[in-house]
């Protein structure tokens, strides 16, 4: 997120912060002696006396260099009293950017999956809830702000340079670049497996993870319909990885988008079976069984962790929830004919 913040500052946020918290709103605290034009030595007094300037003048800010104050008063271009390196500005900017990004990614990817992948016949399933999609979206929207807030320390750590993210591929070479993709997926898969399995423990399942299992026949909109702490705990491995192992910055952003799209895709209640990678990749069919039977297929991308943890269940055509839909429809038709 450090790269995202830098780009956003360059394009938009510098202007936004300069408008919201301009240096000129805080000049009164410096006195006329500090506001001297270096070339003319003539005291400069701020004429910014708007209600907004008066209100924000009480907001804390870092020490403002006299040069910055003078240049702001003598120039038509504004500067912010909260510079880029000021942590409160970074945290607020990161929070807003992340919140906008997750909403965009959720609605765009989930909507596309719902339109082109999700079999809407599943909505006739006996266990599909009334107004379920609306409820899934509502739970997601309620969870996003808190999940984003919990994530801020990780993103701020990246901005402050504590992570092992790097810019130049040549620093570690192309072989490591491609190997790190596989390493990232394996590491996060095993970590999420154990976080997910722990969340099914009776001590915390009812209040922490059960809200997500309300959706026995999930739609793509259920992908982020978590208790906020549940969603955050399962995201920790993604953030932890870059503080332990080197990862190229743009690759990290790409993987971050990928894992969110993957989470959406495995919630489409698909039970297509028989594909070549079925016993290796933990796909939609595997996760559909997890929502139906709760204690199987905890993994995110691969089946290995479930096999080692003895929680793997092979998707089979006879387990397809669509069969229950067809049976229910036939029963209704039979009753209608009688």
């Amino acid at each position: 997120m450090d790269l995202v913040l830098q780009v956003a500052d360059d394009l938009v946020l510098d202007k936004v912060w300069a408008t919201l918290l301009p240096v000129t709103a805080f000049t009164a605290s410096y006195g006329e002696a500090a506001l001297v034009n270096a070339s003319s030595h003539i005291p400069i007094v701020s004429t910014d006396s708007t209600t907004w300037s008066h209100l924000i003048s009480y907001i804390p800010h870092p020490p403002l260099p006299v040069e910055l104050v003078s240049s702001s008063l003598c120039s038509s271009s504004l500067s912010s009293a909260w510079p880029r390196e000021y942590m409160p500005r970074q945290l607020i900017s990161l929070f807003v950017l992340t919140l906008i990004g997750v909403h965009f990614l959720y609605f765009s990817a989930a909507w596309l999956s719902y339109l082109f992948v999700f079999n809407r016949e599943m909505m006739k399933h006996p266990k599909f809830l009334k107004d379920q999609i609306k409820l899934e979206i509502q739970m997601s929207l309620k969870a996003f702000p808190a999940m984003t807030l919990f994530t801020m320390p990780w993103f701020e750590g990246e901005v402050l340079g504590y992570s092992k993210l790097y810019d130049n591929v040549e620093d570690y070479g192309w072989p490591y670049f491609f190997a790190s993709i596989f390493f990232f997926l394996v590491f996060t898969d095993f970590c999420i497996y154990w976080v997910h399995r722990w969340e099914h423990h009776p001590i915390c399942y009812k209040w922490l993870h059960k809200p997500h299992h309300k959706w026995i026949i999930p739609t793509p909109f259920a992908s982020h319909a978590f208790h906020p702490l549940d969603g955050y705990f399962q995201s920790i491995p993604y953030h932890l990885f870059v503080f332990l192992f080197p990862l190229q910055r743009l690759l990290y952003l790409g993987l971050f988008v990928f894992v969110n799209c993957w989470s959406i895709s495995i919630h489409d209640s698909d039970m297509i079976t028989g594909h070549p990678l079925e016993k290796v990749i933990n796909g939609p069919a595997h996760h559909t069984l997890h929502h139906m039977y709760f204690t199987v297929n905890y993994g995110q991308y691969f089946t290995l962790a479930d096999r080692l943890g003895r929680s793997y269940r092979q998707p089979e055509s006879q387990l397809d929830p669509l069969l229950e839909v067809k049976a229910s429809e036939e029963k209704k038709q039979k009753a209608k004919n009688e």
Side-chain angles (χ1 to χ4, degrees), residues 102-316:
V102 74
H103 278 82
F104 174 78
L105 189 61
Y106 171 71
F107 281 108
S108 58
W111 183 249
L112 288 173
S113 181
Y114 175 76
L115 286 179
F116 300 109
V117 180
F118 179 66
N119 186 344
R120 273 162 273 185
E121 287 293 308
M122 291 292 188
M123 298 171 70
K124 300 177 182 178
H125 193 281
K127 294 183 179 179
F128 193 87
L129 304 179
K130 181 182 179 182
D131 297 326
Q132 179 172 312
I133 292 179
K134 178 182 177 181
L135 295 173
E136 290 170 342
I137 293 174
Q138 286 178 340
M139 180 177 286
S140 299
L141 294 182
K142 289 178 181 178
F144 285 152
M147 285 194 292
T148 301
L149 188 63
F150 296 147
T151 307
M152 284 303 100
W154 296 100
F155 287 160
E156 181 63 18
E158 294 174 23
V159 172
L160 296 177
Y162 293 117
S163 74
K164 294 182 179 294
L165 291 168
Y166 64 93
D167 294 307
N168 300 317
V169 176
E170 291 76 15
D171 290 349
Y172 291 89
W174 284 103
Y176 179 81
F177 177 89
F178 290 109
S180 65
I181 299 174
F182 178 72
F183 187 26
F184 175 88
L185 295 177
V186 171
F187 175 87
T188 55
D189 184 65
F190 267 84
C191 290
I192 291 172
Y193 173 85
W194 287 109
V195 171
H196 192 179
R197 188 159 183 170
W198 165 75
E199 289 181 342
H200 278 259
H201 192 281
I203 292 177
C204 58
Y205 174 75
K206 187 174 182 179
W207 65 270
L208 181 62
H209 193 55
K210 187 176 180 179
H212 184 65
H213 275 282
K214 181 179 182 178
W215 330 114
I216 297 174
I217 306 297
T219 78
F221 294 101
S223 58
H224 292 70
F226 290 103
H227 184 288
L229 279 175
D230 182 359
Y232 169 67
F233 287 147
Q234 293 198 53
S235 75
I236 287 178
Y238 303 127
H239 308 297
L240 180 63
F241 183 90
V242 298
F243 285 86
L244 297 177
F245 310 102
L247 192 66
Q248 204 274 337
R249 274 185 171 79
L250 290 176
L251 176 59
Y252 177 53
L253 288 176
L255 288 171
F256 201 79
V257 172
F258 167 77
V259 298
N260 278 277
C261 290
W262 181 269
S263 181
I264 289 170
S265 71
I266 62 176
H267 283 87
D268 64 8
S269 298
D270 176 20
M271 275 294 290
I272 298 175
T273 59
H275 58 82
L277 296 177
E278 186 173 83
K279 294 185 178 181
V280 178
I281 302 298
N282 187 77
H286 300 79
H287 201 71
T288 296
L289 291 183
H290 176 73
H291 274 263
M292 293 175 64
Y293 300 105
F294 297 3
T295 57
V296 300
N297 300 344
Y298 297 101
Q300 188 79 348
Y301 313 112
F302 307 110
T303 62
L304 181 59
D306 278 296
R307 292 180 184 279
L308 294 176
R310 297 183 179 181
S311 56
Y312 178 72
R313 183 163 185 175
Q314 177 68 27
E316 299 173 353

